[in-house]
């Protein structure tokens, strides 16, 4: 089948499925009500990001069609069964959480189990086997590496979830990470191209309904969307890391990482409860206190990540040392920019908090 026609059909199917979900969400009252963390003031349908998981299912079904829907007999949806199961598990739990709040412990256990399934798919456990020799080199070091991978990846998925607070930012940022991954995949072939293109199409469909000015979005991603796309991005980056042995490819999530991690550190310094809703991310200050439009802020984050990622792909020599130097340099620049921004504008958020407290008491 013609490639353009193939992906055109998938796009139409995803578009129709998203519209069908809207009808279900409307009837079942799956909505997002504004709270203290929100940057919106109206009720909007929640869970539109379910299209990311549905996209994986569509890819799986299309891959199994007799004759090869993607024109490649070797492509099979069961090629990544544990990954598909992981995303289905975590997206399913997140979707339930979108409908009615689940305990943090339930969500965290589900995330670790799903991440374990994804690591198994990546072959991470097989990469570290007990060898003859000292206990330190044979057992302890691999165990520590795997434990660190769990902590980093579960933390990254939650940061991506925390950053989903204004129209367009999740869809736009996902696209900014998918584009450089697609470019590298054309050269290195670390994952099936049809899978990546299907995810990109699902993201485009979501953006059509979410990448809009404040008050104009048809739907929000919900946890099912932000956590779902987080796992997909981590799997794609994980495939690349396992193929190259180079962890610096995490640079494709650097902008979110800097904002998310430094905001957590800031809240710790303020002795806040990290489990409580807040509006202290840099993008939230831009959208709320500085009144910058949602689309503009989302484009800024998307543009910054694209700039960092494409610079990494096209400008940096292909060796680990050069990659590390670039990653550290970009990290320092973004961190300094974040701190400078907060020093200049955080007082506006503090004034907002003081006014809320005054009105409450």
């Amino acid at each position: 089948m013609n490639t353009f026609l193939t992906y055109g059909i998938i796009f139409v199917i995803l578009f129709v499925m998203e519209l069908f979900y809207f009808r279900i969400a409307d009837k079942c009252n799956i909505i997002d009500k504004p709270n203290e963390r929100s940057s919106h003031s109206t009720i909007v349908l929640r869970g539109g990001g379910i299209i990311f998981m549905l996209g994986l299912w569509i890819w799986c079904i299309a891959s199994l069609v007799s004759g090869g829907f993607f024109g490649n007999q070797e492509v099979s949806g069961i090629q990544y069964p544990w990954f598909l199961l992981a995303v289905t598990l975590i997206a399913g739990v997140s979707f339930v959480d979108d409908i009615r709040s689940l305990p943090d412990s339930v969500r965290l256990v589900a995330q670790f189990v799903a991440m374990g399934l994804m690591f198994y798919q990546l072959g991470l456990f097989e990469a570290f086997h007990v060898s003859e020799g000292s206990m330190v080199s044979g057992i302890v070091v691999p165990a520590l590496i795997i434990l660190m991978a769990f902590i980093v990846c579960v933390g990254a998925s939650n940061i991506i979830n925390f950053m989903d607070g204004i129209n367009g930012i999740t869809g736009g940022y996902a696209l900014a990470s998918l584009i450089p991954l697609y470019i590298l995949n054309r050269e290195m072939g670390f994952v099936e191209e049809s899978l990546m293109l299907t995810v990109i199409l699902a993201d485009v469909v979501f953006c059509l309904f979410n990448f809009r000015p404040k008050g104009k979005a048809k739907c929000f991603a919900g946890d099912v969307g932000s956590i779902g796309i987080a796992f997909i991005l981590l799997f794609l980056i994980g495939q690349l890391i396992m193929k190259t042995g180079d962890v610096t490819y995490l640079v494709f999530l650097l902008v979110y990482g800097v904002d998310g991690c430094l905001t957590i550190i800031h809240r710790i310094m303020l002795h806040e409860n990290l489990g409580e809703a807040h509006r202290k991310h840099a993008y939230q200050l831009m959208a709320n206190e500085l009144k910058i439009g949602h689309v503009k802020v989302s484009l800024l984050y998307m543009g910054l990540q694209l700039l960092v990622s494409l610079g990494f792909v096209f400008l940096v020599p292909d060796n680990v040392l050069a990659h590390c130097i670039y990653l550290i340099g970009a990290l320092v620049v973004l961190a300094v920019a974040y701190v400078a921004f907060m020093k200049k504008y955080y007082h506006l958020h503090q004034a907002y908090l003081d006014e809320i407290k005054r009105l409450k008491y």
Side-chain angles (χ1 to χ4, degrees), residues 219-274:
C219 69
F220 292 153
D223 286 356
V224 64
S226 56
I227 293 291
I229 194 62
F231 267 68
I232 293 171
L233 290 174
L234 288 169
F235 173 72
L236 296 176
I237 294 172
Q239 285 280 89
L240 180 55
I241 290 174
M242 293 300 293
K243 185 177 181 67
T244 62
D246 186 355
V247 297
T248 61
Y249 285 108
L250 287 169
V251 72
F252 295 149
L253 298 175
L254 187 62
V255 174
Y256 263 19
V258 170
D259 190 321
C261 291
L262 291 184
T263 298
I264 290 173
I265 293 172
H266 186 199
R267 296 191 69 203
I268 292 174
M269 293 171 61
L270 294 173
H271 306 289
E272 292 186 353
N273 181 353
L274 297 181

Side-chain angles (χ1 to χ4, degrees), residues 35-39 161-165 277-279 283-284:
N35 57 32
E36 293 181 4
R37 177 191 166 200
S38 303
S39 296
N161 184 32
F162 297 155
M163 295 295 291
D164 178 34
H278 70 96
R279 297 196 334 190
Y283 79 87
Q284 291 172 318

Side-chain angles (χ1 to χ4, degrees), residues 23-57:
R23 296 190 64 178
I24 295 175
D26 191 37
K27 285 188 176 183
C28 297
N29 203 35
I30 306 175
I31 56 177
D32 191 302
K33 296 181 180 179
N35 57 32
E36 293 181 4
R37 177 191 166 200
S38 303
S39 296
H40 65 285
S41 56
T42 58
I43 295 176
V44 181
L45 295 177
R46 172 184 278 191
I50 196 173
I51 197 66
F52 300 125
M53 180 187 71
L54 296 178
L56 292 182
W57 290 357

Side-chain angles (χ1 to χ4, degrees), residues 49-262:
I50 196 173
I51 197 66
F52 300 125
M53 180 187 71
L54 296 178
L56 292 182
W57 290 357
I58 292 298
W59 173 77
C60 179
I61 295 170
S63 299
L64 293 171
V65 171
S66 177
F69 191 75
F70 294 108
N72 183 354
Q73 295 280 357
E74 297 180 357
V75 174
S76 172
I78 60 173
Q79 185 175 1
Y80 308 118
W82 300 109
F83 163 62
L84 293 170
L85 179 59
V87 175
T88 300
L89 169 63
I90 194 59
V93 170
S94 299
F95 185 60
V96 173
D97 188 52
D98 283 331
I99 298 174
R100 61 174 187 176
S101 185
L102 294 174
D104 291 342
S105 57
V106 173
R107 289 186 285 112
L108 194 60
V109 168
Q111 288 175 21
F112 271 94
V113 171
M115 197 62 70
L117 291 170
M118 192 172 77
F119 285 171
Y120 184 76
Q121 182 70 75
L122 290 170
L124 183 63
F125 301 122
E126 296 176 7
F128 300 107
H129 60 275
V130 179
S131 59
E132 295 182 4
S134 69
M135 291 291 288
V136 173
S137 63
I139 298 177
V140 177
V141 173
L144 288 175
I145 292 175
I146 292 173
L147 177 61
M148 185 177 299
F150 267 107
I151 294 173
V152 169
C153 289
V154 170
S157 65
N158 280 286
I159 285 177
I160 292 173
N161 184 32
F162 297 155
M163 295 295 291
D164 178 34
I166 61 173
N167 297 352
I169 196 167
T170 294
Y173 191 85
L175 201 59
S177 297
L178 288 167
I179 289 173
L181 283 168
Y182 177 75
I183 293 171
L184 287 177
N185 191 55
R186 293 299 298 268
E187 299 176 3
M188 304 169 66
F190 54 87
V191 74
E192 287 295 341
E193 183 174 312
S194 58
L195 169 61
M196 192 172 293
L197 285 173
T198 302
V199 172
I200 290 174
L201 289 177
D203 189 30
V204 171
V205 168
F206 174 70
C207 285
L208 290 176
F209 297 103
N210 179 259
F211 209 121
R212 300 179 178 184
K214 182 178 180 180
K216 302 294 184 180
K218 175 67 176 179
C219 69
F220 292 153
D223 286 356
V224 64
S226 56
I227 293 291
I229 194 62
F231 267 68
I232 293 171
L233 290 174
L234 288 169
F235 173 72
L236 296 176
I237 294 172
Q239 285 280 89
L240 180 55
I241 290 174
M242 293 300 293
K243 185 177 181 67
T244 62
D246 186 355
V247 297
T248 61
Y249 285 108
L250 287 169
V251 72
F252 295 149
L253 298 175
L254 187 62
V255 174
Y256 263 19
V258 170
D259 190 321
C261 291
L262 291 184

